Amino acid sequence: MVDDTWSSALHRLWQAASRAEEVAALADDVYAPLLATPGVHLVVGTRWDGKHVLRYMRALSAGSDTPVIVATTRSMPGAAVREPGGEPVVTRSAVDGMDDSMWPEAEFLRQAPGASVVACTFRLDQRGWAALALAVDGTADLSVVENRLTQAVDVIVACHTGILQRGREARRASDDALLAEASLQMDSSLDVEDTLRRVARIAVPAVADGALVHLLRSEGPEFVAATHVAVQQQRALEEAGRHDPWLAALLARRGEDEDTVFLSGAALEGSPFAEAGGTDGGADGSADGGANATAAGGRPAGDGPHPTVVSISTLRARGRVVGSITFVYQRPEARLPDSAFLRSLATRAALAIDNALLYELRRTAVLSLQEHLLPSQLPESVQWDLSASYAVGDPMLDVGGDFYDAVPRPDGSIALLIGDVCGRGAEAAALTGLARHTLRTLLEEGNDPGTALSRLNRALRQERASRFLTAVVATLTPRPDGTALLSTCSAGHPPPLVLRSDGTVSEVLSGGLLLGVLDDVSYESHEELIAPDDTLVLFTDGLTESREAGGAFFESVLPARLSALRGSGAAHIAESLAQQAETFRDSGQDDIALLVARWTGVPPDAGLLPRDPRIEQAALR
């Protein structure tokens, strides 16, 4: 015969279990149906941790709606004999024969009518177990009681398993989201210091309460970044990261160990993370450390609860160790991240750091190569004021093809040249070096600008160069009256500008075909006079093609910006125009090269014309 009342109650219990967020929420749905079983007078539930410490006890008697709930941390070693293995264990015993050192429920069970107890102990997870005990009298059908008790236990275990599974899934989703966000944050910068700060910040407080990052150098670990949820704790972490010998020795010993290690209790003795007054706290790996702690040696470790759990993960990328990340925790053991998550986070952090380090190495190499493609210094003379500026525009830092030079000539004139090779990279760099040094040699030998460009074009065609380039060569030849003859020859390059002493700006006439396209090309020169305090400005198209968000090019404002710089020296003009173009630019990544020559015609002690900064500022509006 089917017991419809129990079946309905069991059905409701399963429904409640599917919705419950904690096992304790099932108590009413478990206790009431069991108490409705004939012969059952009392239900007592207990919850234990892995050390046989009683954490919780709940008792409800028949005819009562109010349970007695006891929350405690009572250690009961004698209860070890009751701890179940893999499967639930059902026992029958007399109330009078219960040992209080094993049965804390006895104080309730003895108060109930009846002389026997039916109990079931069952494991909830690796860290704890539970028990349900029923006080029954002689009228109870013990087989029915045991059957209902085991069915109720099955629901409780399934509920707890489901809660843990949902918790793991939620945590896994949260961890995946955090790892994805960490990758985005860390990969968004190629600056080494900024990346390291992001690595330290990304996991605090989501993963840990504090973090330290060290790079591995040939001389040992080098502290680079630290963060903590509390400001004073952060200062203590930074101090430990920089100077603590215990931490330095530990990081050096770990070397290339790929496993994440967790340290707590006695393992932290002598460290800046040790508990004040001993190592009792957290010896089990928990994070229940005390407050107002002091590091070993009496050194303050910062205000607030002292971290009692530390994890260290090696940062390995592309087969080499780049450093380590140390997390400190002030939280319960259940909230500590697992090793798999920390390994994944460390791998992403290591790649981000390694990318930043490689980028820095490449940046240094590219800038060094770029410097060798340009003159180390410009010639000096009382008759001219020379200066240049070079701004790298490519964020990927391929070597650009812009170049310039200034060449004193045998007849007392000076030749100024600037050019731009199509494209970037090693091939462009090789062609840049060929073009600059070829032009320099030809101009030093006294060749006029047109001849120098024609011979360079011939050399490019003979070398079967796969890239073309533009260039302009201008010579300044002194005249007895203090002026200079400006002779300009261009090969498809943006025309130079002349800033007159009165602030007017004119464009130097120029033309000519690109270099490296056709075999036989001749180039014509344009001549005009340059007066004292006039300034010649040569530049590459990275300057004029800098584009603002609205679509306008810097070329449209260049004459006005240059005019506002009248009365300025060559260095200020070159630096100011390059900076203005970079500020103006919303799109475009071309390099910017400028070569500026202010013709004095007289000794420099004659001084510059008065410079009015107000004119320059007005042009920027």
Side-chain angles (χ1 to χ4, degrees):
M1 178 176 177
V2 178
D3 187 344
D4 292 335
T5 302
W6 172 253
S7 296
S8 298
L10 191 62
H11 178 68
R12 289 193 298 272
L13 181 57
W14 277 110
Q15 288 182 319
S18 67
R19 299 189 300 267
E21 295 182 0
E22 56 181 15
V23 174
L26 293 179
D28 291 340
D29 295 289
V30 172
Y31 284 39
L34 289 174
L35 285 171
T37 303
V40 176
H41 296 276
L42 179 72
V43 180
V44 184
T46 52
R47 180 73 176 269
W48 306 76
D49 72 7
K51 298 183 181 65
H52 320 301
V53 174
L54 178 64
R55 294 291 186 182
Y56 173 87
M57 188 158 55
R58 188 181 197 273
L60 182 65
S61 59
S64 175
D65 295 329
T66 305
V68 177
I69 299 175
V70 178
T72 181
T73 55
R74 190 192 314 174
S75 179
M76 301 185 68
V81 297
R82 296 179 59 196
E83 183 176 354
E87 297 295 328
V89 177
V90 178
T91 59
R92 299 179 187 177
S93 58
V95 173
D96 293 340
M98 286 184 168
D99 183 348
D100 287 6
S101 66
M102 299 169 49
W103 292 83
E105 307 99 315
E107 62 178 291
F108 295 102
L109 294 170
R110 292 192 185 102
Q111 301 173 14
S116 61
V117 174
V118 178
C120 181
T121 56
F122 53 96
R123 181 157 295 282
L124 290 172
D125 50 48
Q126 294 181 346
R127 296 192 299 270
W129 54 283
L132 274 178
L134 309 182
V136 301
D137 61 22
T139 66
D141 184 337
L142 294 182
S143 62
V144 172
V145 171
E146 288 184 3
N147 184 55
R148 292 187 178 186
L149 181 58
T150 55
Q151 288 179 339
V153 167
D154 287 343
V155 178
I156 293 172
V157 172
C159 176
H160 185 72
T161 302
I163 291 172
L164 291 179
Q165 180 63 30
R166 291 193 294 274
R168 286 191 292 267
E169 291 174 355
R171 184 162 184 172
R172 188 179 302 113
S174 176
D175 288 349
D176 289 345
L178 178 61
L179 290 172
E181 177 64 20
S183 295
L184 289 174
Q185 289 291 327
M186 292 185 293
D187 293 344
S188 64
S189 174
L190 287 174
D191 179 83
V192 175
E193 292 186 3
D194 185 53
T195 299
L196 292 169
R197 286 192 295 269
R198 288 169 184 258
V199 170
R201 289 197 304 262
I202 196 67
V204 176
V207 175
D209 299 280
L212 301 105
V213 181
H214 287 78
L215 285 181
L216 182 62
R217 302 296 192 187
S218 57
E219 61 274 13
E222 176 190 344
F223 167 78
V224 290
T227 188
H228 197 280
V229 292
V231 174
Q232 293 194 8
Q233 287 275 25
Q234 178 167 331
R235 293 170 183 164
L237 278 182
E238 291 173 352
E239 180 70 14
R242 289 190 178 93
H243 305 299
D244 186 77
W246 181 94
L247 182 60
L250 176 63
L251 296 179
R253 286 198 307 271
R254 282 189 55 76
E256 298 190 2
D257 190 352
E258 295 186 14
D259 293 332
T260 295
V261 62
F262 284 86
L263 305 174
S264 62
L268 295 177
E269 186 174 356
S271 79
F273 315 110
E275 289 286 355
T279 59
D280 293 338
D284 60 345
S286 67
D288 299 328
N292 302 321
T294 302
R299 180 162 51 84
D303 295 338
H306 195 86
T308 57
V309 179
V310 175
S311 70
I312 302 175
S313 300
T314 300
L315 299 176
R316 174 184 288 274
R318 300 180 177 92
R320 67 187 184 94
V321 175
V322 298
S324 65
I325 183 165
T326 303
F327 289 128
V328 292
Y329 308 92
Q330 295 169 262
R331 57 188 64 189
E333 182 182 1
R335 293 182 56 206
L336 296 180
D338 58 36
S339 297
F341 171 80
L342 291 179
R343 282 196 300 271
S344 182
L345 181 62
T347 298
R348 295 164 191 252
L351 286 173
I353 293 172
D354 196 48
N355 285 339
L357 290 172
L358 292 175
Y359 179 83
E360 184 66 24
L361 288 174
R362 181 181 180 184
R363 179 176 180 273
T364 301
V366 166
L367 292 179
S368 176
L369 178 57
Q370 197 82 63
E371 289 177 359
H372 284 83
L373 292 175
L374 300 173
S376 58
Q377 61 182 13
L378 296 175
E380 297 181 359
S381 171
V382 297
Q383 293 182 304
W384 59 70
D385 172 22
L386 286 180
S387 188
S389 176
Y390 196 105
V392 176
D394 181 17
M396 297 309 294
L397 284 179
D398 276 330
V399 182
D402 292 13
F403 64 92
Y404 61 82
D405 207 345
V407 185
R409 289 154 55 84
D411 61 358
S413 66
I414 184 172
L416 308 176
L417 61 99
I418 195 166
D420 185 3
V421 176
C422 173
R424 310 186 69 86
E427 187 178 358
L431 195 55
T432 296
L434 171 65
R436 183 172 82 86
H437 290 290
T438 299
L439 285 177
R440 180 180 182 88
T441 300
L442 292 171
L443 293 169
E444 281 179 331
E445 292 175 351
N447 289 283
D448 62 83
T451 300
L453 289 175
S454 296
R455 292 181 62 178
L456 172 60
N457 181 73
R458 191 181 312 143
L460 294 174
R461 296 296 295 169
Q462 289 173 352
E463 292 292 330
R464 300 182 182 274
S466 60
R467 299 170 183 258
F468 63 84
L469 63 97
T470 66
V472 63
V473 179
T475 59
L476 291 173
T477 305
R479 290 164 48 93
D481 61 358
T483 62
L485 177 64
L486 171 62
S487 179
T488 308
C489 191
S490 176
H493 198 81
L497 298 177
V498 176
L499 171 63
R500 303 293 179 178
S501 59
D502 62 359
T504 58
V505 176
S506 60
E507 188 177 273
V508 177
L509 295 178
S510 60
L513 190 66
L514 304 174
L515 295 164
V517 177
L518 299 178
D519 289 330
D520 296 318
V521 181
S522 60
Y523 296 92
E524 297 182 357
S525 296
H526 168 79
E527 295 182 348
E528 60 181 279
L529 293 179
I530 295 293
D533 294 317
D534 288 349
T535 302
L536 177 66
V537 180
L538 295 84
F539 48 87
T540 57
D541 58 9
L543 180 76
T544 54
E545 293 180 3
S546 294
R547 194 172 191 174
E548 67 172 356
F553 290 97
F554 190 71
E555 181 179 22
S556 63
V557 299
L558 177 57
R561 299 287 180 93
L562 179 58
S563 177
L565 294 169
R566 60 185 176 273
S568 300
H572 179 73
I573 293 175
E575 293 172 4
S576 178
L577 288 179
Q579 184 178 9
Q580 289 182 43
E582 288 188 278
T583 303
F584 182 89
R585 177 164 57 192
D586 181 71
S587 63
Q589 298 177 344
D590 202 1
D591 293 358
I592 297 174
L594 286 131
L595 180 60
V596 178
R598 174 182 167 273
W599 184 256
T600 63
V602 292
D605 55 10
L608 299 175
L609 292 179
R611 174 184 164 210
D612 189 349
R614 293 173 298 177
I615 300 176
E616 179 180 346
Q617 292 300 319
L620 297 177
R621 296 191 184 107

